[in-house]
Each structure stands twice: as structure tokens, then as C-alpha cells.
């Protein structure tokens, strides 16, 4: 799933490396948040796993919709990639 998301966002933002950095940063932050939550409440892992698939599908849909938000022929820059 991570490969699909990274390829979709790289295609949407023209292969900008800032997109890859933002994706990897978000994954690391989510992993840290999950580890901290799992340490405090062990039962929360099932809720997190239940949310994983719908959020991954929403991410793919968002990556496909991003190019429609920019004017025709415009290439989004690194600032747009990090904001999104």
C-alpha cells in the first residue's frame, strides 16, 4: 500500500522529492503515534487496524484527485506538495 501511495503522489506532483520526504515523514510520525498509543492502551491496536484500510483507500483517492485542483498545464511545486 505504501508503494501505491508513494507512486500516486509522485505522479500527481511531478516526481518531486519533497513529496517523498513528506510521505516518509508522515509514515514515521504515524508509526511513532501508534507506538505511543499502543503503549498506553493496548486495546487501541484493533481500532487502528480497522481504520488502516479505509484511510489507505482515501489516500489513493486523494492522490488521484490532486491533479484536478491545479490549473491545466501547471506543475505544482514543492510548497504545494508539502501543503497537501
Amino acid at each position: 500500500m505504501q508503494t501505491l501511495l508513494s507512486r500516486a503522489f509522485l505522479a500527481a506532483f511531478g516526481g518531486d522529492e519533497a513529496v517523498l520526504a513528506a510521505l516518509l515523514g508522515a509514515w514515521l510520525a504515524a508509526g511513532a503515534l501508534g507506538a505511543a498509543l499502543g503503549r498506553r492502551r493496548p486495546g487501541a491496536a484493533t481500532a487502528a487496524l480497522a481504520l488502516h484500510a479505509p484511510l489507505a483507500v482515501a489516500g489513493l483517492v486523494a492522490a488521484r484527485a490532486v491533479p484536478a485542483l491545479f490549473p491545466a498545464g501547471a506543475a505544482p511545486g514543492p510548497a504545494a506538495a508539502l501543503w497537501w
Side-chain angles (χ1 to χ4, degrees):
M1 186 55 68
Q2 290 174 344
T3 304
L4 290 175
L5 279 172
S6 62
R7 288 185 69 195
F9 275 103
L10 281 172
F13 287 103
D16 195 358
E17 291 177 358
V19 174
L20 202 53
L23 286 171
L24 290 174
W27 285 328
L28 287 173
L33 181 65
L37 184 63
R39 183 181 304 164
R40 289 192 173 84
R41 287 189 249 171
T46 55
L49 287 175
L51 287 175
H52 183 267
L55 288 176
V57 171
L60 282 174
V61 169
R64 305 281 180 188
V66 165
L69 299 175
F70 299 110
L82 291 175
W83 174 79
W84 212 157

